[in-house]
Amino acid sequence: MQNFTHVSCGGIFMKPLLEIRDVSLSYHTVSGETKALSNISFNLMPSEFLAVVGPSGCGKSTLLNLICGMLLAEEGTILMNGIPPSPGDPRIGYMLQKDHLLEWRTIYQNVILGLEIRNEKTPEKLAYIEEMIDTYGLDKFRTARPSQLSGGMRQRIGIAQALINDPKILVLDEPTSGLDPAERAKFRNIIGGLSKNRIILLSTHIVSDIEYIADRIVLMKNGEVSLEGAAESICGSISGMVWECAVAQAEADELIAEHVVTNLHNTHGGVALRIVSEARPTADAVCAEPKLEDLYLYHFRRELGNEPYKA
Ligand code: ADP
């Protein structure tokens, strides 16, 4: 975990834009207390793309809400350029997990809603919105209603809304859930383009969405950071543990019961398996390069119910 306040970048010492220090938070409800986050610490440098990854309930949304100033940490500090974020902070653009588009407003009226609320419909801001409408292919939907649009188009409106103040940090909570594969691919390209001049902080449980575009990944488990680093570096934690083998159906059933199987496909006369295991699972299994999905399924095998069956 990073514990520095300045980072050497090509010999120049840069200060992190966002500093998260020992942050903890519990929810207190009538049914008791839920510890959602424990001692979270990491820094974000300008233009960094960080993905927060973990299964449902591990604390991703809570962390993003804290970073956006929508929740207050019980312990620890969150500072952006030395100042804590506050609700509606113009330095931060936030796209919620579920979009909140207003059905009675057109797409254009939804995009400019933030400006209207803050009484900021200046010619410069309206011109900036026109640029976004053009960039995100929203022009022909200007007068449409949200329900007429696909999930992918709705997400683009969410991004345009979040970018309205040209924020230094763009926070996206599970932006690809509910999108089909083609929409997810388009979304990845949009996000890749946006990361050039701002921090992107994105939460997901779909690792293929961020494996090749995030600079750094934080794996969260039960409200804690359990692994952190670039995809290649964290995948190194299971180096030498990913195996590929082709076996008969009966042997495949035994291997599935005993190991974390991250891929399976039927072949002529047998089954090809990809397995994560400390020991070589079969005599002729071949060691393979770990991918983020292997790490994810192995790391969260208990949470995801992939734990091998033990008699
Ligand atoms: P994720 O985004 O990874 O699904 P969350 O941050 O939503 O995780 O939730 C973390 C934990 O906090 C879970 O145990 C969840 O049930 C609990 N939690 C989240 N929001 C609330 C809330 N408003 N009140 C009580 N518990 C909550």
Side-chain angles (χ1 to χ4, degrees):
M1 199 170 306
Q2 293 182 344
N3 253 333
F4 42 73
T5 51
H6 290 72
V7 178
S8 174
C9 186
I12 302 164
F13 280 91
M14 288 172 69
K15 201 172 166 7
L17 184 61
L18 186 73
E19 296 173 79
I20 298 161
R21 287 281 157 275
D22 297 322
V23 164
S24 299
L25 184 132
S26 298
Y27 290 102
H28 304 270
T29 62
V30 280
S31 47
E33 180 185 324
T34 307
K35 187 91 182 164
L37 296 176
S38 306
N39 299 313
I40 305 281
S41 294
F42 58 85
N43 288 334
L44 272 164
M45 306 305 290
S47 304
E48 212 178 355
F49 184 152
L50 183 105
V52 179
V53 178
S56 184
C58 71
K60 302 184 295 297
S61 293
T62 304
L63 177 61
L64 299 195
N65 276 311
L66 282 165
I67 290 170
C68 294
M70 311 294 276
L71 286 173
L72 260 185
E74 285 178 318
E75 289 167 41
T77 49
I78 298 182
L79 297 173
M80 184 177 169
N81 269 339
I83 302 166
S86 53
D89 198 318
R91 302 172 300 170
I92 302 169
Y94 189 18
M95 190 171 110
L96 297 164
Q97 194 165 347
K98 189 177 173 328
D99 70 53
H100 289 79
L101 299 178
L102 302 177
E103 193 52 45
W104 63 90
R105 291 179 72 101
T106 65
I107 298 311
Y108 181 74
Q109 288 167 341
N110 267 285
V111 173
I112 63 163
L113 183 62
L115 292 188
E116 284 185 354
I117 290 171
R118 287 191 294 271
N119 202 16
E120 286 178 354
K121 275 170 65 179
T122 60
E124 296 75 31
K125 294 227 163 164
L126 289 171
Y128 174 66
I129 281 178
E130 287 307 315
E131 260 178 57
M132 283 197 297
I133 284 180
D134 198 35
T135 308
Y136 299 125
L138 295 172
D139 193 38
K140 58 178 183 275
F141 303 108
R142 211 176 259 272
T143 56
R145 304 281 162 178
S147 61
Q148 295 173 275
L149 267 55
S150 68
M153 291 309 295
R154 292 176 75 107
Q155 296 287 52
R156 290 186 202 194
I157 299 162
I159 293 190
Q161 287 179 321
L163 287 172
I164 212 153
N165 288 310
D166 199 8
K168 284 281 160 244
I169 302 185
L170 179 62
V171 178
L172 307 161
D173 195 1
E174 300 263 2
T176 56
S177 61
L179 299 191
D180 68 32
E183 287 175 329
R184 279 166 50 201
K186 282 187 197 153
F187 192 81
R188 276 198 299 272
N189 294 340
I190 290 175
I191 297 303
L194 285 169
S195 64
K196 283 190 198 111
N197 53 1
R198 58 175 59 79
I199 286 177
I200 305 270
L201 185 55
L202 177 156
S203 75
T204 188
H205 61 277
I206 308 170
V207 285
S208 56
D209 281 348
I210 46 91
E211 179 156 21
Y212 301 108
I213 54 172
D215 298 316
R216 199 148 51 96
I217 294 165
V218 163
L219 277 193
M220 284 189 66
K221 199 179 209 175
N222 301 327
E224 294 179 12
V225 173
S226 59
L227 266 179
E228 185 198 339
E232 291 150 35
S233 133
I234 58 173
C235 282
S237 65
I238 54 164
S239 180
M241 290 171 60
V242 181
W243 307 92
E244 287 176 342
C245 56
V247 294
Q249 183 64 56
E251 193 181 356
D253 292 341
E254 282 175 24
L255 288 167
I256 292 164
E258 286 168 11
H259 296 284
V260 174
V261 174
T262 62
N263 199 16
L264 173 160
H265 72 267
N266 292 311
T267 58
H268 292 298
V271 183
L273 297 176
R274 188 173 171 97
I275 290 172
V276 188
S277 162
E278 282 177 33
R280 188 186 290 269
T282 64
D284 54 1
V286 178
C287 203
E289 203 58 38
K291 292 189 191 152
L292 198 55
E293 192 169 31
D294 299 315
L295 175 69
Y296 186 85
L297 294 173
Y298 186 71
H299 197 75
F300 295 113
R301 55 195 182 281
R302 288 189 189 89
E303 291 75 7
L304 299 170
N306 285 347
E307 190 154 39
Y309 170 74
K310 296 269 183 262

